[in-house]
């Protein structure tokens, strides 16, 4: 189970904040549990680890088995909440080098998460002569980036396997009833999976949105869900001492009130990089509104100690650091003895890499705290599907609480529409003519 260690924020907070925040946390918690706070219609994820659709869960596993049997690659089309969770979990559990590994599961390529023509061509080249399937994921079914990418990869499939053959290789994860993708899937005969109405993109990794690609990578979904279910029970406790999500939400909020403006999520596992990207979306999109919220950033240690370390140690004192620590590695690597000792490293000979990393973690922690950066440690078990299920639910629950402490709606994202409107106008989408003229004048075109 995740432990939240807060001793390294105490020097920065003169008054105990827990007692004062407990009533507000209780209110926030009850809103989440009763689905009656701001954005309550989008809190279906709170009970998901127990209440998920078992029939669909079995279909996800069956589809993953079929993809593993008839495809050497899976192309996952999606952006934001329809992308980052699956990539985060796959990389964390199966390696950031998953596609390079020798394995009996398909390579997984993520597309539709941007508008780079070169990136898309590179993936198309990788599919040359390769049997592949496509999982297109879009709750709305109208998001430009995945919709455009899907056109290309659908065309590729149709050219290679014919319309019917392609339809048997396309899996659409979208709204149960509405949207352009749902209509297309129904008319073309794709197998469909549901993004539940009451779960927004960034909280959807434990629905079919994340689960199908994750299952294709060979991850044990039962273990993942069971870790989330354990954390769901833990987070239901109305007791600050027993509820790690309360502890994390209260600590980061107390630091925000003291003037901290940036939260850096740090981990010492390169495989965690896309979990950190997922976390950034979760917190950034949930909290960053009404000119409020901690800016979520992330670093990968120790690599970034050699780049961002300088700023963290001595730059503006506006940040706090949250470090995710995991239990023992799966494989031991002991530093070899070298008779020449030309590098002077024999003092490390016989030491395991985990031991060395631990000293780096502790040394960094002390230096950063000394340099004025409050430090929250999230101590998790060794990386495995269960641990990740726990961590996902923990972050989601703490995020919901954090939004309510800030008095914003943690389940909407009105700000993301602004760029879309301008992009549509500049692309000449019908209905945007007036805005198009204004923007062209501003751009001096
Ligand atoms: O969290 C969110 O709501 C967003 O990141 C969406 O997931 C993202 O914009 C993709 O939307 P859609 O799934 O409708 O294509």
């Amino acid at each position: 189970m995740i432990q939240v260690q807060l001793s390294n924020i105490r020097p920065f907070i003169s008054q105990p904040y827990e007692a004062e925040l407990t009533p507000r946390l209780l209110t926030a918690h009850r809103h989440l549990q009763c689905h009656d706070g701001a954005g309550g219609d989008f809190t279906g994820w709170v009970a998901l680890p127990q209440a998920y659709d078992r029939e669909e869960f079995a279909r996800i596993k069956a589809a993953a088995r079929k993809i593993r049997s008839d495809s050497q690659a899976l192309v996952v089309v999606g952006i934001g909440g329809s992308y980052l969770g699956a990539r985060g979990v796959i990389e964390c559990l199966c390696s950031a080098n998953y596609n390079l590994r020798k394995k009996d599961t398909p390579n997984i390529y993520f597309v539709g998460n941007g508008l780079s023509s070169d990136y898309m061509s590179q993936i198309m080249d990788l599919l040359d002569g390769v049997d592949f399937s496509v999982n297109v994921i879009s709750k709305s079914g109208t998001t430009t980036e995945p919709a455009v990418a899907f056109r290309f990869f659908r065309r590729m499939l149709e050219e290679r396997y014919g319309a019917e053959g392609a339809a048997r290789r396309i899996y659409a994860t979208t709204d149960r009833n509405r949207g352009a993708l749902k209509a297309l899937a129904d008319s073309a005969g794709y197998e469909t999976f549901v993004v539940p109405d009451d779960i927004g993109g960034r909280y959807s990794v434990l629905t079919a949105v994340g689960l199908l690609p994750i299952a294709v990578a060979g991850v044990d979904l039962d273990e993942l869900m069971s870790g989330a279910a354990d954390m769901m029970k833990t987070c239901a406790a109305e007791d600050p001492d027993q509820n790690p999500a309360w502890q994390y939400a209260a600590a980061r909020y107390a630091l925000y009130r003291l003037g901290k403006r940036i939260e850096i999520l740090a981990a010492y596992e390169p495989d965690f990089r896309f979990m950190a990207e997922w976390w950034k979306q979760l917190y950034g999109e949930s909290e960053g509104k009404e000119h409020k919220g901690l800016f979520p950033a992330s670093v990968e240690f120790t690599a970034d100690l050699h780049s961002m370390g300088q700023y963290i140690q001595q730059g503006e004192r506006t940040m706090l650091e949250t470090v995710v620590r995991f239990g023992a590695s799966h494989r031991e690597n002991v530093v070899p003895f070298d008779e020449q000792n030309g590098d002077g490293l024999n003092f490390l000979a016989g030491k395991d890499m985990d031991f060395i990393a631990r000293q780096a973690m502790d040394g960094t922690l002390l230096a950063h705290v000394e340099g004025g950066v409050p430090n929250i440690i999230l101590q998790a078990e060794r990386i495995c599907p269960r641990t990740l299920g726990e961590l996902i639910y923990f972050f989601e629950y703490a995020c919901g609480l954090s939004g309510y402490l800030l008095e914003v709606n943690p389940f909407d994202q009105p700000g993301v529409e602004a760029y879309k409107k301008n992009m549509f106008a500049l692309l000449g989408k019908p209905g945007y003519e007036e805005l198009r003229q204004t923007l062209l004048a501003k751009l001096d075109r």
Side-chain angles (χ1 to χ4, degrees):
M1 204 41 80
I2 289 151
Q3 285 173 357
V4 183
Q5 296 171 10
L6 297 171
S7 55
N8 294 300
I9 67 165
R10 304 286 173 208
F12 301 89
I13 302 182
S14 50
Q15 298 294 325
Y17 58 90
E18 286 94 334
E20 177 221 335
L21 287 181
T22 296
R24 293 184 57 193
L25 278 166
L26 186 60
T27 306
H29 174 81
R30 290 192 176 156
H31 281 318
L32 289 179
Q33 295 290 327
C34 303
H35 314 283
D36 62 359
D41 288 348
F42 292 95
T43 48
W45 55 272
V46 173
L48 181 73
Q50 266 174 3
Y52 62 89
D53 177 343
R54 264 54 181 186
E55 183 274 328
E56 181 176 73
F57 195 68
R59 270 199 313 117
I60 291 170
K61 288 181 178 173
R65 276 196 299 276
K66 176 173 176 296
I67 295 167
R68 288 204 298 263
S69 72
D70 68 11
S71 304
Q72 296 157 274
L74 173 69
V75 176
V76 180
V77 187
I79 195 166
S82 293
Y83 156 56
L84 289 167
R87 184 158 185 183
V89 172
I90 291 169
E91 292 206 0
C92 194
L93 293 176
C94 310
S95 166
N97 291 316
Y98 169 80
N99 283 346
L100 298 177
R101 289 178 77 168
K102 283 195 191 127
K103 57 190 180 299
D104 54 10
T105 50
N107 283 343
I108 299 183
Y109 302 117
F110 293 93
V111 303
N113 49 54
L115 290 167
S116 162
S117 182
D118 284 341
Y119 176 80
M120 201 163 64
S121 305
Q122 288 156 17
I123 305 296
M124 287 170 163
D125 289 349
L126 290 170
L127 294 170
D128 192 26
V130 168
D131 279 319
F132 71 100
S133 296
V134 169
N135 180 199
V136 53
I137 309 169
S138 178
K139 185 175 185 180
S140 62
T142 52
T143 308
T144 309
E145 292 90 334
V148 169
F150 183 49
R151 274 209 179 189
F152 286 93
F153 289 92
R154 181 166 52 120
R155 166 81 57 90
M156 267 185 92
L157 277 177
E158 286 169 354
E159 283 172 359
R160 201 172 298 179
Y161 303 100
E164 276 183 23
R168 285 195 294 275
R169 288 175 172 273
I170 297 176
Y171 302 83
T173 306
T174 188
D175 188 89
R176 188 184 300 277
N177 303 307
R178 289 181 303 255
L181 179 57
K182 175 67 181 157
L184 175 62
D186 286 347
S187 74
Y190 309 150
E191 176 159 14
T192 57
F193 297 96
V194 173
V195 191
D197 271 350
D198 56 358
I199 300 183
R202 58 191 177 274
Y203 293 84
S204 71
V205 55
L206 298 177
T207 71
V209 169
L211 293 182
L212 180 55
I214 291 169
V216 171
V219 171
D220 184 336
L221 295 191
D222 294 302
E223 281 290 296
L224 186 73
M225 293 306 276
S226 135
D230 284 350
M231 185 53 80
M232 177 185 153
K233 280 185 218 131
T234 303
C235 288
E238 291 189 352
D239 176 354
D241 296 330
Q242 302 299 324
N243 193 322
W246 282 34
Q247 292 160 12
Y248 175 50
R252 57 196 296 288
Y253 179 68
L255 291 164
Y256 175 71
R257 276 194 319 194
L258 286 175
K260 298 302 174 194
R261 289 294 173 262
I262 299 164
E263 180 178 10
I264 305 174
L265 190 75
Y268 286 75
E269 290 299 335
D271 290 344
F272 192 76
R273 179 173 155 214
F274 268 88
M275 283 304 298
E277 295 299 323
W278 167 83
W279 172 89
K280 284 196 281 197
Q281 184 195 353
L282 182 64
Y283 280 76
E285 234 179 18
S286 299
E287 290 192 297
K289 46 201 78 158
E290 298 175 31
H291 299 172
K292 299 186 208 173
L294 281 160
F295 180 81
S298 66
V299 285
E300 179 197 313
F301 288 162
T302 59
D304 288 336
L305 289 173
H306 297 259
S307 53
M308 298 303 290
Q310 172 59 37
Y311 192 101
I312 298 171
Q313 193 67 45
Q314 294 183 330
E316 286 252 21
R317 303 297 71 192
T318 50
M319 65 191 87
L320 69 113
E321 194 172 60
T322 296
V323 182
V324 182
R325 290 187 177 190
F326 291 101
S329 297
H330 292 272
R331 280 195 275 178
E332 200 180 54
N333 279 303
V334 172
V335 178
F337 179 78
D338 178 2
E339 254 171 42
Q340 308 301 318
N341 197 26
D343 53 11
L345 278 183
N346 270 352
F347 74 101
L348 292 179
K351 301 268 192 317
D352 174 34
M353 287 297 290
D354 271 5
F355 168 81
I356 299 173
R358 177 63 200 235
Q359 312 320 308
M361 281 181 208
D362 288 347
T364 305
L365 169 94
L366 295 174
H368 288 180
V369 172
E370 183 71 26
V373 181
N375 201 296
I376 299 171
I377 297 176
L378 304 178
Q379 180 66 56
E381 307 284 339
R382 135 194 303 216
I383 294 178
C384 67
R386 179 174 284 272
T387 301
L388 221 56
E390 284 179 9
L391 200 58
I392 287 167
Y393 191 90
F394 162 80
F395 275 135
E396 289 179 350
Y397 204 82
C399 186
L401 294 173
S402 296
Y404 286 151
L405 286 178
L406 269 184
E407 297 179 348
V408 299
N409 176 350
F411 307 111
D412 66 0
Q413 53 283 330
V416 300
E417 294 311 313
Y419 101 90
K420 289 186 192 169
K421 247 181 11 196
N422 288 353
M423 179 176 74
F424 291 150
L426 292 171
L427 285 170
K429 190 171 177 175
Y432 290 81
E433 291 77 8
E434 204 181 315
L435 180 59
R436 179 178 164 77
Q437 295 315 320
T438 314
L439 296 180
L440 288 177
K442 279 191 188 165
L443 288 168
D444 222 6
R445 280 202 208 156

